PDB file of all heavy atoms in Angstrom:
ATOM      1  N   ASN A  19     -26.602  14.831  -4.828  1.00 94.00           N
ATOM      2  CA  ASN A  19     -27.583  15.419  -5.736  1.00 94.00           C
ATOM      3  C   ASN A  19     -27.535  16.931  -5.600  1.00 94.00           C
ATOM      4  O   ASN A  19     -26.888  17.487  -4.715  1.00 94.00           O
ATOM      5  CB  ASN A  19     -28.991  14.935  -5.471  1.00 94.00           C
ATOM      6  CG  ASN A  19     -29.423  15.107  -3.979  1.00 94.00           C
ATOM      7  OD1 ASN A  19     -28.924  15.979  -3.326  1.00 94.00           O
ATOM      8  ND2 ASN A  19     -30.368  14.248  -3.583  1.00 94.00           N
ATOM      9  N   CYS A  39     -13.682  20.081   1.319  1.00 96.00           N
ATOM     10  CA  CYS A  39     -12.769  19.240   0.576  1.00 96.00           C
ATOM     11  C   CYS A  39     -13.554  17.991   0.067  1.00 96.00           C
ATOM     12  O   CYS A  39     -14.184  17.294   0.818  1.00 96.00           O
ATOM     13  CB  CYS A  39     -11.652  18.732   1.443  1.00 96.00           C
ATOM     14  SG  CYS A  39     -10.478  20.097   1.897  1.00 96.00           S
ATOM     15  N   LEU A  51     -19.277  20.473 -11.597  1.00 95.00           N
ATOM     16  CA  LEU A  51     -19.575  20.853 -10.257  1.00 95.00           C
ATOM     17  C   LEU A  51     -19.239  22.316 -10.000  1.00 95.00           C
ATOM     18  O   LEU A  51     -19.987  23.041  -9.371  1.00 95.00           O
ATOM     19  CB  LEU A  51     -18.873  19.955  -9.251  1.00 95.00           C
ATOM     20  CG  LEU A  51     -19.376  19.951  -7.799  1.00 95.00           C
ATOM     21  CD1 LEU A  51     -19.143  18.562  -7.203  1.00 95.00           C
ATOM     22  CD2 LEU A  51     -18.679  20.987  -6.985  1.00 95.00           C
ATOM     23  N   VAL A  58     -25.536  28.457  -8.906  1.00 94.00           N
ATOM     24  CA  VAL A  58     -26.336  28.568  -7.695  1.00 94.00           C
ATOM     25  C   VAL A  58     -26.062  29.897  -6.985  1.00 94.00           C
ATOM     26  O   VAL A  58     -26.970  30.573  -6.570  1.00 94.00           O
ATOM     27  CB  VAL A  58     -26.081  27.345  -6.774  1.00 94.00           C
ATOM     28  CG1 VAL A  58     -26.703  27.599  -5.391  1.00 94.00           C
ATOM     29  CG2 VAL A  58     -26.612  26.104  -7.379  1.00 94.00           C
ATOM     30  N   ALA A  60     -24.814  32.584  -8.137  1.00 89.00           N
ATOM     31  CA  ALA A  60     -25.240  33.747  -8.993  1.00 89.00           C
ATOM     32  C   ALA A  60     -26.776  33.920  -8.826  1.00 89.00           C
ATOM     33  O   ALA A  60     -27.248  35.065  -8.760  1.00 89.00           O
ATOM     34  CB  ALA A  60     -24.878  33.483 -10.416  1.00 89.00           C
ATOM     35  N   GLN A  98      -5.647   8.323   7.056  1.00 77.00           N
ATOM     36  CA  GLN A  98      -4.755   9.250   7.716  1.00 77.00           C
ATOM     37  C   GLN A  98      -5.106  10.671   7.318  1.00 77.00           C
ATOM     38  O   GLN A  98      -5.059  11.657   8.061  1.00 77.00           O
ATOM     39  CB  GLN A  98      -3.320   8.941   7.440  1.00 77.00           C
ATOM     40  CG  GLN A  98      -2.290   9.915   8.038  1.00 77.00           C
ATOM     41  CD  GLN A  98      -2.343   9.924   9.580  1.00 77.00           C
ATOM     42  OE1 GLN A  98      -2.494   8.903  10.194  1.00 77.00           O
ATOM     43  NE2 GLN A  98      -2.250  11.137  10.148  1.00 77.00           N
ATOM     44  N   ALA A 125     -11.150   7.798  12.481  1.00 90.00           N
ATOM     45  CA  ALA A 125     -10.102   8.828  12.557  1.00 90.00           C
ATOM     46  C   ALA A 125     -10.472   9.941  13.507  1.00 90.00           C
ATOM     47  O   ALA A 125      -9.765  10.932  13.643  1.00 90.00           O
ATOM     48  CB  ALA A 125      -9.861   9.404  11.154  1.00 90.00           C
ATOM     49  N   ARG A 132     -28.277  13.534   7.492  1.00 97.00           N
ATOM     50  CA  ARG A 132     -29.699  13.681   7.490  1.00 97.00           C
ATOM     51  C   ARG A 132     -30.352  12.334   7.907  1.00 97.00           C
ATOM     52  O   ARG A 132     -29.926  11.304   7.410  1.00 97.00           O
ATOM     53  CB  ARG A 132     -30.236  14.025   6.104  1.00 97.00           C
ATOM     54  CG  ARG A 132     -29.950  15.503   5.766  1.00 97.00           C
ATOM     55  CD  ARG A 132     -30.466  15.878   4.337  1.00 97.00           C
ATOM     56  NE  ARG A 132     -31.895  15.604   4.198  1.00 97.00           N
ATOM     57  CZ  ARG A 132     -32.617  15.911   3.121  1.00 97.00           C
ATOM     58  NH1 ARG A 132     -31.972  16.461   2.081  1.00 97.00           N
ATOM     59  NH2 ARG A 132     -33.861  15.702   3.027  1.00 97.00           N
ATOM     60  N   SER A 133     -31.270  12.425   8.799  1.00 97.00           N
ATOM     61  CA  SER A 133     -31.962  11.202   9.343  1.00 97.00           C
ATOM     62  C   SER A 133     -33.417  11.099   8.996  1.00 97.00           C
ATOM     63  O   SER A 133     -34.167  10.483   9.657  1.00 97.00           O
ATOM     64  CB  SER A 133     -31.758  11.170  10.853  1.00 97.00           C
ATOM     65  OG  SER A 133     -30.375  11.275  11.220  1.00 97.00           O
ATOM     66  N   MET A 138     -32.458   1.972   3.998  1.00 92.00           N
ATOM     67  CA  MET A 138     -31.343   1.608   4.802  1.00 92.00           C
ATOM     68  C   MET A 138     -30.101   2.451   4.389  1.00 92.00           C
ATOM     69  O   MET A 138     -29.345   2.967   5.254  1.00 92.00           O
ATOM     70  CB  MET A 138     -30.991   0.142   4.585  1.00 92.00           C
ATOM     71  CG  MET A 138     -29.830  -0.396   5.419  1.00 92.00           C
ATOM     72  SD  MET A 138     -28.141  -0.049   4.757  1.00 92.00           S
ATOM     73  CE  MET A 138     -28.125  -1.137   3.303  1.00 92.00           C
ATOM     74  N   LEU A 150     -22.980   5.547  18.931  1.00 96.00           N
ATOM     75  CA  LEU A 150     -21.848   6.319  19.474  1.00 96.00           C
ATOM     76  C   LEU A 150     -22.292   7.469  20.427  1.00 96.00           C
ATOM     77  O   LEU A 150     -21.468   8.214  20.875  1.00 96.00           O
ATOM     78  CB  LEU A 150     -21.046   6.896  18.308  1.00 96.00           C
ATOM     79  CG  LEU A 150     -20.262   5.889  17.452  1.00 96.00           C
ATOM     80  CD1 LEU A 150     -19.824   6.526  16.157  1.00 96.00           C
ATOM     81  CD2 LEU A 150     -19.114   5.325  18.230  1.00 96.00           C
ATOM     82  N   GLU A 153     -26.181  11.581  18.802  1.00 97.00           N
ATOM     83  CA  GLU A 153     -27.464  11.867  18.108  1.00 97.00           C
ATOM     84  C   GLU A 153     -27.637  13.332  17.830  1.00 97.00           C
ATOM     85  O   GLU A 153     -28.477  13.738  16.994  1.00 97.00           O
ATOM     86  CB  GLU A 153     -28.609  11.335  18.884  1.00 97.00           C
ATOM     87  CG  GLU A 153     -28.881   9.866  18.801  1.00 97.00           C
ATOM     88  CD  GLU A 153     -30.221   9.439  19.238  1.00 97.00           C
ATOM     89  OE1 GLU A 153     -31.205   9.509  18.400  1.00 97.00           O
ATOM     90  OE2 GLU A 153     -30.402   9.025  20.376  1.00 97.00           O
ATOM     91  N   ASN A 156     -27.495  14.016  14.188  1.00 98.00           N
ATOM     92  CA  ASN A 156     -28.566  13.460  13.308  1.00 98.00           C
ATOM     93  C   ASN A 156     -29.653  14.451  13.087  1.00 98.00           C
ATOM     94  O   ASN A 156     -30.306  14.930  14.020  1.00 98.00           O
ATOM     95  CB  ASN A 156     -29.137  12.197  13.947  1.00 98.00           C
ATOM     96  CG  ASN A 156     -28.160  11.033  13.934  1.00 98.00           C
ATOM     97  OD1 ASN A 156     -27.148  11.064  13.273  1.00 98.00           O
ATOM     98  ND2 ASN A 156     -28.501  10.009  14.747  1.00 98.00           N
ATOM     99  N   ALA A 157     -29.825  14.813  11.806  1.00 98.00           N
ATOM    100  CA  ALA A 157     -30.901  15.785  11.431  1.00 98.00           C
ATOM    101  C   ALA A 157     -32.171  15.090  11.150  1.00 98.00           C
ATOM    102  O   ALA A 157     -32.448  14.737   9.954  1.00 98.00           O
ATOM    103  CB  ALA A 157     -30.439  16.656  10.250  1.00 98.00           C
ATOM    104  N   ARG A 179     -15.695  20.773  19.955  1.00 97.00           N
ATOM    105  CA  ARG A 179     -14.717  20.114  20.821  1.00 97.00           C
ATOM    106  C   ARG A 179     -15.414  19.020  21.630  1.00 97.00           C
ATOM    107  O   ARG A 179     -14.852  17.877  21.783  1.00 97.00           O
ATOM    108  CB  ARG A 179     -13.996  21.075  21.716  1.00 97.00           C
ATOM    109  CG  ARG A 179     -12.790  20.436  22.434  1.00 97.00           C
ATOM    110  CD  ARG A 179     -12.164  21.411  23.425  1.00 97.00           C
ATOM    111  NE  ARG A 179     -11.698  22.621  22.809  1.00 97.00           N
ATOM    112  CZ  ARG A 179     -12.190  23.863  22.993  1.00 97.00           C
ATOM    113  NH1 ARG A 179     -13.211  24.009  23.827  1.00 97.00           N
ATOM    114  NH2 ARG A 179     -11.747  24.892  22.322  1.00 97.00           N
ATOM    115  N   TYR A 198     -19.578  -0.143  19.498  1.00 93.00           N
ATOM    116  CA  TYR A 198     -19.383   0.159  18.055  1.00 93.00           C
ATOM    117  C   TYR A 198     -18.119  -0.349  17.516  1.00 93.00           C
ATOM    118  O   TYR A 198     -18.044  -0.684  16.359  1.00 93.00           O
ATOM    119  CB  TYR A 198     -19.489   1.690  17.926  1.00 93.00           C
ATOM    120  CG  TYR A 198     -19.618   2.092  16.449  1.00 93.00           C
ATOM    121  CD1 TYR A 198     -20.836   2.095  15.831  1.00 93.00           C
ATOM    122  CD2 TYR A 198     -18.492   2.467  15.743  1.00 93.00           C
ATOM    123  CE1 TYR A 198     -20.972   2.399  14.464  1.00 93.00           C
ATOM    124  CE2 TYR A 198     -18.597   2.861  14.401  1.00 93.00           C
ATOM    125  CZ  TYR A 198     -19.811   2.808  13.807  1.00 93.00           C
ATOM    126  OH  TYR A 198     -19.937   3.128  12.429  1.00 93.00           O
ATOM    127  N   ASP A 200     -16.289  -2.904  18.875  1.00 92.00           N
ATOM    128  CA  ASP A 200     -16.017  -4.278  19.367  1.00 92.00           C
ATOM    129  C   ASP A 200     -16.292  -5.307  18.269  1.00 92.00           C
ATOM    130  O   ASP A 200     -17.371  -5.891  18.235  1.00 92.00           O
ATOM    131  CB  ASP A 200     -16.874  -4.513  20.567  1.00 92.00           C
ATOM    132  CG  ASP A 200     -16.409  -5.759  21.425  1.00 92.00           C
ATOM    133  OD1 ASP A 200     -15.683  -6.571  20.769  1.00 92.00           O
ATOM    134  OD2 ASP A 200     -16.770  -5.887  22.548  1.00 92.00           O
ATOM    135  N   LYS A 210     -24.412 -15.795  15.727  1.00 92.00           N
ATOM    136  CA  LYS A 210     -25.561 -16.253  16.486  1.00 92.00           C
ATOM    137  C   LYS A 210     -26.823 -15.940  15.714  1.00 92.00           C
ATOM    138  O   LYS A 210     -27.759 -16.770  15.649  1.00 92.00           O
ATOM    139  CB  LYS A 210     -25.645 -15.591  17.864  1.00 92.00           C
ATOM    140  CG  LYS A 210     -26.703 -16.123  18.787  1.00 92.00           C
ATOM    141  CD  LYS A 210     -26.640 -15.466  20.123  1.00 92.00           C
ATOM    142  CE  LYS A 210     -27.813 -15.948  21.013  1.00 92.00           C
ATOM    143  NZ  LYS A 210     -27.785 -17.420  21.208  1.00 92.00           N
ATOM    144  N   GLY A 211     -26.863 -14.740  15.115  1.00 94.00           N
ATOM    145  CA  GLY A 211     -28.070 -14.330  14.321  1.00 94.00           C
ATOM    146  C   GLY A 211     -28.242 -15.282  13.132  1.00 94.00           C
ATOM    147  O   GLY A 211     -29.400 -15.652  12.828  1.00 94.00           O
ATOM    148  N   ASP A 226     -39.219 -13.891   9.651  1.00 90.00           N
ATOM    149  CA  ASP A 226     -39.464 -12.741  10.526  1.00 90.00           C
ATOM    150  C   ASP A 226     -38.145 -12.050  10.827  1.00 90.00           C
ATOM    151  O   ASP A 226     -37.088 -12.555  10.521  1.00 90.00           O
ATOM    152  CB  ASP A 226     -40.184 -13.144  11.831  1.00 90.00           C
ATOM    153  CG  ASP A 226     -40.898 -12.042  12.501  1.00 90.00           C
ATOM    154  OD1 ASP A 226     -40.780 -10.913  12.032  1.00 90.00           O
ATOM    155  OD2 ASP A 226     -41.539 -12.288  13.546  1.00 90.00           O
ATOM    156  N   ARG A 231     -29.783 -10.286  21.211  1.00 81.00           N
ATOM    157  CA  ARG A 231     -29.546  -9.474  22.360  1.00 81.00           C
ATOM    158  C   ARG A 231     -28.162  -9.866  22.947  1.00 81.00           C
ATOM    159  O   ARG A 231     -27.811 -10.978  23.014  1.00 81.00           O
ATOM    160  CB  ARG A 231     -30.658  -9.681  23.380  1.00 81.00           C
ATOM    161  CG  ARG A 231     -32.026  -9.224  22.937  1.00 81.00           C
ATOM    162  CD  ARG A 231     -33.070  -9.462  23.987  1.00 81.00           C
ATOM    163  NE  ARG A 231     -34.389  -9.013  23.597  1.00 81.00           N
ATOM    164  CZ  ARG A 231     -34.788  -7.733  23.805  1.00 81.00           C
ATOM    165  NH1 ARG A 231     -34.008  -6.851  24.344  1.00 81.00           N
ATOM    166  NH2 ARG A 231     -35.987  -7.353  23.388  1.00 81.00           N
ATOM    167  N   ARG A 253      -4.003 -16.882  17.831  1.00 81.00           N
ATOM    168  CA  ARG A 253      -3.651 -16.710  16.408  1.00 81.00           C
ATOM    169  C   ARG A 253      -2.212 -17.074  16.136  1.00 81.00           C
ATOM    170  O   ARG A 253      -1.880 -17.734  15.135  1.00 81.00           O
ATOM    171  CB  ARG A 253      -3.968 -15.283  15.959  1.00 81.00           C
ATOM    172  CG  ARG A 253      -5.409 -14.999  15.632  1.00 81.00           C
ATOM    173  CD  ARG A 253      -5.550 -13.695  14.848  1.00 81.00           C
ATOM    174  NE  ARG A 253      -5.301 -12.537  15.729  1.00 81.00           N
ATOM    175  CZ  ARG A 253      -6.261 -11.927  16.374  1.00 81.00           C
ATOM    176  NH1 ARG A 253      -7.512 -12.302  16.296  1.00 81.00           N
ATOM    177  NH2 ARG A 253      -5.953 -10.880  17.157  1.00 81.00           N
ATOM    178  N   LYS A 270       7.748 -35.016   4.035  1.00 66.00           N
ATOM    179  CA  LYS A 270       7.249 -36.288   3.518  1.00 66.00           C
ATOM    180  C   LYS A 270       7.469 -36.384   1.996  1.00 66.00           C
ATOM    181  O   LYS A 270       7.909 -37.386   1.483  1.00 66.00           O
ATOM    182  CB  LYS A 270       5.736 -36.382   3.867  1.00 66.00           C
ATOM    183  CG  LYS A 270       5.468 -36.619   5.293  1.00 66.00           C
ATOM    184  CD  LYS A 270       3.959 -36.719   5.561  1.00 66.00           C
ATOM    185  CE  LYS A 270       3.649 -36.906   7.003  1.00 66.00           C
ATOM    186  NZ  LYS A 270       2.214 -36.948   7.270  1.00 66.00           N
TER     187      LYS A 270
END
Side-chain angles (χ1 to χ4, degrees):
N19 57 24
C39 292
L51 198 149
V58 169
Q98 178 61 40
R132 285 180 58 177
S133 304
M138 182 279 290
L150 291 165
E153 281 198 85
N156 291 345
R179 190 184 303 114
Y198 191 81
D200 194 340
K210 184 177 179 62
D226 201 355
R231 295 179 178 274
R253 278 194 290 266
K270 289 180 181 178

